[in-house]
Amino acid sequence: MHRFAAMIALILASTLHASGPATSIDAFVAEEMPSAGVPGLAYGVTFEGEISGDQHGLLRSDEETEVAPSTPFLIGSVSKSFTALAVMQLVEAGAAELDAPIGRYLDVYAGRPQSAITVRQLLSHTSGYSTLQGNMSQNDLTMDAASLSRRVDNIAGMTPVSQPGETWEYSNANYQVLGRLIEVLSGQDYADYTADNILSPIGMNDSFVHGPDNTNGMATGHRPWFWTKAPSNEVFTGRGSGPQGGIVASARDMARYLSVMMNGEDDVLSAAGKAQMMQPANDASPFYGLGWFVNTQDGTVYHSGSNPGYEALATMIPAEKKGVAVLTNAGSGIGFGGTIELRNGVTARALGRDYNGEASPLPQQATFVMLAALPILFVIAMIWAWVKRAAIRAKTGWSGRFSLWFPLVTTVGLAMAVFLIVPQAFGAPLHTIRLFVPDMGLAMIAGAVTGVTWAVWRLIIAYTGSTKAS
């Protein structure tokens, strides 16, 4: 598993291959949905401007309301393509320049070294901000109008981990800054600008930016919970998350959006501007354009998305004017109940591409089972230590002290790995991991805490009480 952004499907490698016969999408969905643990799914397809699609399952697993054609889902990081489109509109209007420094437009960057980061570098994830820096605010669920401004104030104070323009690293921080750029240049908040200049002109009437007063009708998100999926009574995204992952859309609205992106016409953006978004942005970003992943080998342009309890995938073949969006109201577990095969399978069938399935989930499943079992094993070990307390108290000499104290060293090391190293490896703080995969987050914390407790418990037993058996 590589970085947390990949784990929550923020970065999804294209696995579609050469053209081949497609089997029934609906038959595939009916077969795959139960193993994926997905209560509800909708997909929208566009081919040469014609829109079609279907929907399956329930808005919420413990209720009987079915997903409807108009049902909106959170689309996660597919929202970045909307933010990029909004920025390109402002560029074409002369309000901004792609290669201008962000410090020219946002006063909070004034006088800071990172003010030299350009708009193009933010759009293409080559600004130098890291995945971890971009995920630091994921637990900010505030809904006031200033929430995005506050987030960007914090980002402006961060030192990028690499020099702008040198390396590619996916970071939500880039699109939070771009969202604030849209607000400053347009004089509207992000949600209003997006509705007025993208959603409404395209005819995305069932779509909106998630906010405090517009959640009615949304499919309920379901997060992994120990081999099941639990419905969430809360939508785990704040108003400041809008530019990076806060757009809510129906599948058919998404098909309309993809159709407009491929129609070769000057409408919400010039045809040339739309084509530019779907080409590699620069030498440091050979597989990402402006808000879209780009696969120059098979001609696909795509973006995945993940919010706690939701996952999405939008894919286009611009040369063939084909596109498909797949939306689900469930997040993927670690090895259990993943949605990637479901989303990729629907996508391949809709586009007429072959799809060979995903690699075996057994390694991830084994890792998760081990994590889940670890705190139980430590509790059993604590009970066993009490049963064998006489033997523990009888340990003497150098070897005895080593056997008593070494477990404390190893379990403290385990705890440090959980709280310090794992966030760096996944590119997400622990609170973000707990939002997206709460079962794994709980297992990791419980394992770290019970491990140290077991080691300390052995020392308490060893240095208190009698050496005689009770």
Side-chain angles (χ1 to χ4, degrees):
M1 182 171 20
H2 58 84
R3 316 234 15 128
F4 187 65
M7 181 186 74
I8 63 176
L10 293 176
I11 307 172
L12 183 65
S14 177
T15 53
L16 307 183
H17 306 295
S19 295
T23 59
S24 166
I25 295 176
D26 295 324
F28 170 77
V29 170
E31 178 182 353
E32 186 65 26
M33 274 182 68
S35 61
V38 172
L41 172 146
Y43 66 90
V45 180
T46 177
F47 179 51
E48 295 185 343
E50 295 295 322
I51 305 300
S52 61
D54 207 347
Q55 55 282 330
H56 298 260
L58 304 174
L59 290 181
R60 184 182 173 102
S61 60
D62 55 2
E63 297 179 0
E64 298 301 320
T65 306
E66 295 183 347
V67 176
S70 60
T71 297
F73 296 70
L74 270 167
I75 65 171
S77 286
V78 185
S79 305
K80 290 181 173 65
S81 66
F82 289 82
T83 300
L85 176 57
V87 171
M88 290 296 289
Q89 288 177 334
L90 293 168
V91 168
E92 290 192 347
E97 297 178 14
L98 282 176
D99 294 310
I102 193 63
R104 178 186 298 180
Y105 307 113
L106 298 184
D107 291 341
V108 70
Y109 273 89
R112 303 177 188 267
Q114 50 269 41
S115 66
I117 295 170
T118 68
V119 174
R120 187 191 304 271
Q121 289 164 349
L122 291 164
L123 286 165
S124 60
H125 295 294
T126 57
S127 66
Y129 287 121
S130 70
T131 303
L132 179 60
Q133 287 174 319
N135 285 328
M136 293 300 292
S137 61
Q138 287 280 16
N139 66 334
D140 180 2
L141 306 182
T142 56
M143 281 293 176
D144 62 281
S147 57
L148 178 58
S149 177
R150 287 197 304 272
R151 287 194 187 197
V152 174
D153 287 349
N154 290 333
I155 294 169
M158 297 177 182
T159 301
V161 300
S162 58
Q163 290 297 312
E166 287 188 355
T167 60
W168 186 92
E169 185 169 357
Y170 191 91
S171 181
N172 287 325
N174 296 317
Y175 277 76
Q176 291 174 27
V177 175
L178 290 168
R180 182 59 182 153
L181 174 68
I182 292 166
E183 292 186 336
V184 169
L185 295 182
S186 70
Q188 294 180 275
D189 70 20
Y190 176 82
D192 289 341
Y193 180 91
T194 303
D196 292 346
N197 295 278
I198 299 177
L199 304 182
S200 181
I202 291 176
M204 299 178 68
N205 298 324
D206 300 317
S207 305
F208 49 89
V209 180
H210 176 246
D213 302 317
N214 55 359
T215 59
N216 290 339
M218 283 177 58
T220 297
H222 295 72
R223 298 186 296 164
W225 189 249
F226 297 102
W227 305 281
T228 65
K229 300 287 176 65
S232 301
N233 294 321
E234 184 176 5
V235 180
F236 295 98
T237 183
R239 192 166 179 176
S241 298
Q244 74 191 49
I247 289 180
V248 186
S250 69
R252 296 204 181 207
D253 275 1
M254 285 299 299
R256 294 182 182 95
Y257 170 61
L258 300 181
S259 180
V260 168
M261 287 299 299
M262 296 184 293
N263 65 11
E265 299 177 5
D266 299 338
D267 37 48
V268 292
L269 191 69
S270 70
K274 288 184 279 189
Q276 183 180 8
M277 292 177 66
M278 297 186 286
Q279 296 294 325
N282 47 49
D283 291 341
S285 180
F287 47 80
Y288 198 90
L290 307 179
W292 290 101
F293 284 95
V294 178
N295 188 328
T296 56
Q297 293 183 333
D298 69 4
T300 57
V301 177
Y302 61 98
H303 214 298
S304 62
S306 179
N307 294 93
Y310 302 87
E311 291 186 343
L313 176 62
T315 308
M316 296 178 283
I317 308 177
E320 301 177 19
K321 288 186 167 53
K322 291 181 179 179
V324 57
V326 186
L327 313 179
T328 71
N329 62 345
S332 291
I334 306 302
F336 296 94
T339 77
I340 184 171
E341 188 150 348
L342 179 60
R343 288 178 289 136
N344 278 346
V346 172
T347 297
R349 285 161 174 79
L351 298 178
R353 298 288 180 101
D354 287 339
Y355 175 59
N356 299 325
E358 300 300 313
S360 171
L362 285 176
Q364 290 189 14
Q365 289 175 346
T367 299
F368 180 78
V369 169
M370 180 188 68
L371 286 172
L374 198 58
I376 298 173
L377 294 175
F378 277 130
V379 170
I380 293 172
M382 291 172 65
I383 297 171
W384 185 250
W386 178 251
V387 172
K388 295 294 183 178
R389 59 191 180 277
I392 291 175
R393 289 165 177 165
K395 293 178 179 290
T396 59
W398 184 90
S399 62
R401 287 191 295 272
F402 179 82
S403 68
L404 288 172
W405 286 92
F406 184 69
L408 181 62
V409 174
T410 58
T411 54
V412 168
L414 171 66
M416 291 179 64
V418 167
F419 292 106
L420 299 177
I421 299 175
V422 168
Q424 292 288 339
F426 286 162
L430 199 55
H431 62 70
T432 298
I433 295 174
R434 292 187 65 191
L435 278 179
F436 283 85
V437 275
D439 51 359
M440 189 184 80
L442 176 62
M444 290 169 56
I445 294 171
V449 171
T450 55
V452 174
T453 303
W454 164 70
V456 171
W457 175 240
R458 291 177 78 249
L459 290 172
I460 292 172
I461 291 173
Y463 291 105
T464 60
S466 170
T467 58
K468 294 181 180 181
S470 299

